[in-house]
Amino acid sequence: MAEGSACAGPSIRYFCTAGRGLEPFLLREVRARLGATQVEYVSGKVFFTTNSELSKLKNLKSGERLFLLLKKHAPISPSRNKGKVFNEIQKLVIEDPRCWLDIISIWKHLHGNKVEQGNLSKENPESLKRKSEDEISIIRKKQKREQILETVSDECHVEEQKKSMALETNNDMDFLIERETFLEETSESRIEKSVDSNNHSFSFRVSCRCSGAIAKVFTSQEVGRVLGITLIKELGWKADLRNPDLELFVHLNDIYSVVGIPVFRLPLASREYIQTAGLRSTVAWAMASLAEISAGAFVLDPMCGLGTILLEAAKEWTNVHYLGADINDSQLQGAHENIKAAGLMDKIELLKASVTALPLPSESVDVVISDIPFGKKFKITKDIKLLPNILREMERVLHVGGTVVLLVSQDVHKHMGGCISNCVENDTSLNATRDNKNGAAVVKDLNPKEENGSPRSISSSIKGVETEYSNNITCFGSLAAVESYGVSLGKTDAFLYKYRKMPAAGMQ
């Protein structure tokens, strides 16, 4: 795997983590929302390049955490020689000092030099550049000094070294010793000046994850400790586990070694407009993005719970009428509070009703989106027998050509049997080429922009992704299965299914 970093070119290189199964949604979103290029993915992460502003980056809805990419490297092979492996780990942060310091400058510029992680002083680009060059010089001199000392150790015996120092007869040795002392004093004094006068004394912490073969040899704590000591020694930073200015994220596994710096303190998935969390916001947004919501549409969630799906949809697709129904009073109350806190009372209406007897005319709804809770929030009981009735009622209120997007647990998937079992798997909708050796994929950019050259909307981006459909399309009544995705809900796995209501003639 080729190495990569945020300072590889004029654009900035990022990676964003995603819940398992949500990578295709994040792939589409970064292309549509950010006009991203060089988009690729590995399990749980999407890498991309963009020049987008901080406000646009913060609007990513299907990702968990966003990072500036410092290093993407081939996996580190475990070895019995721990020192050798630790040396390889150290290189992840000190091998390219210019890139390391440049990424700090990028990180500060993204926040307008008012970095939310710390109280750093304002600095203009020229001063940042000068300081970066100074510190690069310091690090290189320090590395050169170490190389000189190693050469001295190899060529001269310790006793000879002592004699030459005592007698001062070896001019070459005197020169090396004087140079070592000069470099040490210069390096330390310049670092101190940089810390004191330029406010570069970052406090930091290292968050490390190890998986695969390397996790059998080293713990995350060991790797984090090695990197922490390296940063303290090389840059003069201070460790602070509770409230650091900057966090360094490291993930080592059998596929890659990744090092990054979080762009935001809080995860992207933490929505400030959701007062009481229900369904994971990233999954709720992914469901809404599948539904092909258009302006003026009537969108229904007949089992709305706390209203998370409707909130995510209403924030993204504004000129739409949303209706949430639920039979549970406490759930409706929670949804009402969420909607009010989000300032969406004029967009979303709530109704107490049973999903099997909705007080709506036939073919009056454009989109149905719902999280069927059986097997997740509630155990599978005799109520699971109501599933055919639930689907029939959704089919009744939906007009021809409308879409249904459902989130179901593995247990519900099994109970629905042939109704869902032959759906198209999500890998066919990625339209990506995968490297079987390392699990990476580079996604083809299918019509990433409109004719005028501007980034496409989220909905049009999803429509533009080529999807291979199975010849044996499974149907429930007039609802034809279109797409399916396996997703993780944390402790459990679930499935996203998309149906389209077909005209009667199309079902014959």
Side-chain angles (χ1 to χ4, degrees):
M1 182 185 298
E3 295 185 17
S5 69
C7 42
S11 296
I12 301 174
R13 191 76 173 152
Y14 298 90
F15 71 92
C16 190
T17 56
R20 189 171 69 254
L22 292 184
E23 297 94 341
F25 296 92
L26 185 54
L27 287 168
R28 296 162 179 168
E29 188 183 5
V30 297
R31 291 187 304 183
R33 197 186 297 278
L34 306 178
T37 59
Q38 297 178 290
V39 183
E40 56 179 335
Y41 81 100
V42 293
S43 178
K45 295 180 181 65
V46 173
F47 299 84
F48 60 94
T49 300
T50 183
N51 279 325
S52 296
E53 296 177 354
L54 198 67
S55 58
K56 289 187 177 180
L57 293 169
K58 200 165 188 176
N59 280 335
L60 288 174
K61 300 296 185 181
S62 53
E64 293 289 336
R65 294 200 75 183
L66 180 67
F67 300 84
L68 281 166
L69 179 63
L70 175 62
K71 181 76 71 173
K72 182 184 176 190
H73 199 279
I76 296 175
S77 300
S79 170
R80 292 183 179 180
N81 187 340
K82 280 195 172 185
K84 183 178 180 181
V85 178
F86 282 153
N87 184 53
E88 291 298 313
I89 293 172
Q90 287 178 314
K91 286 182 179 180
L92 291 174
V93 296
I94 65 172
E95 189 173 44
D96 189 351
R98 177 174 293 279
C99 183
W100 172 248
L101 293 167
D102 281 351
I103 201 173
I104 299 299
S105 297
I106 292 170
W107 176 69
K108 293 176 68 176
H109 283 308
L110 281 172
H111 294 273
N113 295 318
K114 294 180 180 179
V115 183
E116 62 181 47
Q117 285 93 333
N119 297 317
L120 304 178
S121 60
K122 288 188 176 182
E123 299 173 89
N124 60 50
E126 288 301 318
S127 65
L128 284 170
K129 183 178 179 181
R130 286 194 299 271
K131 280 184 288 186
S132 294
E133 292 174 349
D134 288 344
E135 293 184 18
I136 290 166
S137 177
I138 290 169
I139 293 171
R140 284 179 176 166
K141 285 181 179 179
K142 191 171 183 180
Q143 291 174 342
K144 183 66 176 178
R145 172 171 58 82
E146 292 173 352
Q147 290 174 3
I148 292 170
L149 290 176
E150 289 175 2
T151 302
V152 170
S153 178
D154 291 340
E155 295 179 352
C156 303
H157 191 273
V158 174
E159 292 300 323
E160 294 176 350
Q161 194 174 15
K162 289 182 179 179
K163 289 179 182 179
S164 64
M165 291 173 63
L167 298 174
E168 297 184 357
T169 58
N170 191 326
N171 294 331
D172 292 336
M173 184 62 67
D174 286 343
F175 169 75
L176 289 173
I177 293 171
E178 289 173 6
R179 180 171 181 176
E180 178 217 342
T181 304
F182 170 75
L183 288 176
E184 183 173 4
E185 292 175 351
T186 302
S187 176
E188 290 179 355
S189 63
R190 290 184 71 175
I191 287 176
E192 288 176 0
K193 287 180 181 179
S194 176
V195 168
D196 294 338
S197 63
N198 296 325
N199 202 16
H200 262 257
S201 184
F202 287 114
S203 62
F204 75 97
R205 71 178 173 209
V206 178
S207 298
C208 184
R209 286 179 56 198
C210 294
S211 56
I214 197 166
K216 298 177 182 178
V217 182
F218 303 102
T219 65
S220 297
Q221 289 79 6
E222 285 179 311
V223 175
R225 191 179 304 115
V226 168
L227 292 174
I229 292 172
T230 301
L231 290 174
I232 292 171
K233 178 181 177 182
E234 296 295 333
L235 297 179
W237 290 2
K238 298 178 181 179
D240 186 345
L241 301 181
R242 292 189 176 184
N243 189 33
D245 295 324
L246 180 144
E247 180 181 0
L248 188 69
F249 173 85
V250 182
H251 188 190
L252 309 179
N253 61 23
D254 296 335
I255 301 174
Y256 53 75
S257 301
V258 171
V259 183
I261 297 175
V263 178
F264 305 108
R265 178 183 289 273
L266 296 177
L268 295 171
S270 298
R271 309 286 203 253
E272 59 184 14
Y273 50 82
I274 295 181
Q275 183 169 296
T276 305
L279 177 66
R280 186 72 176 168
S281 59
T282 52
V283 176
W285 186 90
M287 293 177 69
S289 71
L290 270 182
E292 301 177 21
I293 300 172
S294 58
F298 181 17
V299 177
L300 168 70
D301 183 350
M303 304 177 76
C304 69
L306 294 173
T308 307
I309 297 174
L310 296 174
L311 287 168
E312 288 297 309
K315 280 290 184 179
E316 184 77 45
W317 297 272
T318 56
N319 190 21
V320 176
H321 177 66
Y322 296 95
L323 176 63
D326 206 289
I327 196 65
N328 187 290
D329 288 327
S330 63
Q331 292 288 297
L332 286 173
Q333 180 60 34
H336 174 79
E337 292 173 357
N338 274 338
I339 294 167
K340 184 177 180 180
L344 294 171
M345 294 292 289
D346 60 330
K347 302 288 185 182
I348 305 172
E349 294 186 30
L350 296 175
L351 174 69
K352 183 175 181 179
S354 170
V355 66
T356 59
L358 296 168
L360 297 172
S362 297
E363 299 192 6
S364 60
V365 174
D366 299 295
V367 174
V368 176
I369 317 178
S370 190
D371 168 19
I372 298 179
F374 307 129
K376 298 191 296 294
K377 294 179 182 177
F378 307 105
K379 294 181 179 180
I380 295 291
T381 64
K382 62 181 181 179
D383 292 336
I384 198 69
K385 297 179 181 179
L386 296 174
L387 278 174
N389 293 337
I390 291 172
L391 291 176
R392 275 193 286 269
E393 186 66 353
M394 291 179 179
E395 177 191 14
R396 181 187 70 81
V397 300
L398 188 69
H399 73 66
V400 173
T403 57
V404 175
V405 177
L406 302 177
L407 177 66
V408 301
S409 67
Q410 290 181 321
D411 289 329
V412 172
H413 166 71
K414 293 175 183 178
H415 278 77
M416 298 182 87
C419 182
I420 300 178
S421 59
N422 294 325
C423 286
V424 180
E425 292 299 327
N426 65 318
D427 283 346
T428 61
S429 66
L430 283 177
N431 196 22
T433 57
R434 183 183 293 269
D435 183 342
N436 291 328
K437 293 183 180 179
N438 59 25
V442 178
V443 179
K444 298 177 182 178
D445 214 350
L446 300 175
N447 302 319
K449 296 185 178 181
E450 299 285 9
E451 294 181 358
N452 62 6
S454 61
R456 306 167 67 199
S457 67
I458 300 297
S459 295
S460 64
S461 175
I462 291 172
K463 292 177 184 178
V465 175
E466 294 180 1
T467 305
E468 300 175 13
Y469 297 107
S470 168
N471 291 328
N472 183 22
I473 297 179
T474 303
C475 301
F476 181 90
S478 61
L479 298 179
V482 177
E483 297 177 72
S484 73
Y485 299 82
V487 298
S488 172
L489 299 180
K491 295 182 179 180
T492 62
D493 292 330
F495 296 90
L496 276 178
Y497 294 102
K498 178 180 176 179
Y499 288 86
R500 194 182 311 281
K501 186 171 181 178
M502 309 299 290
M507 302 308 299
Q508 295 178 354

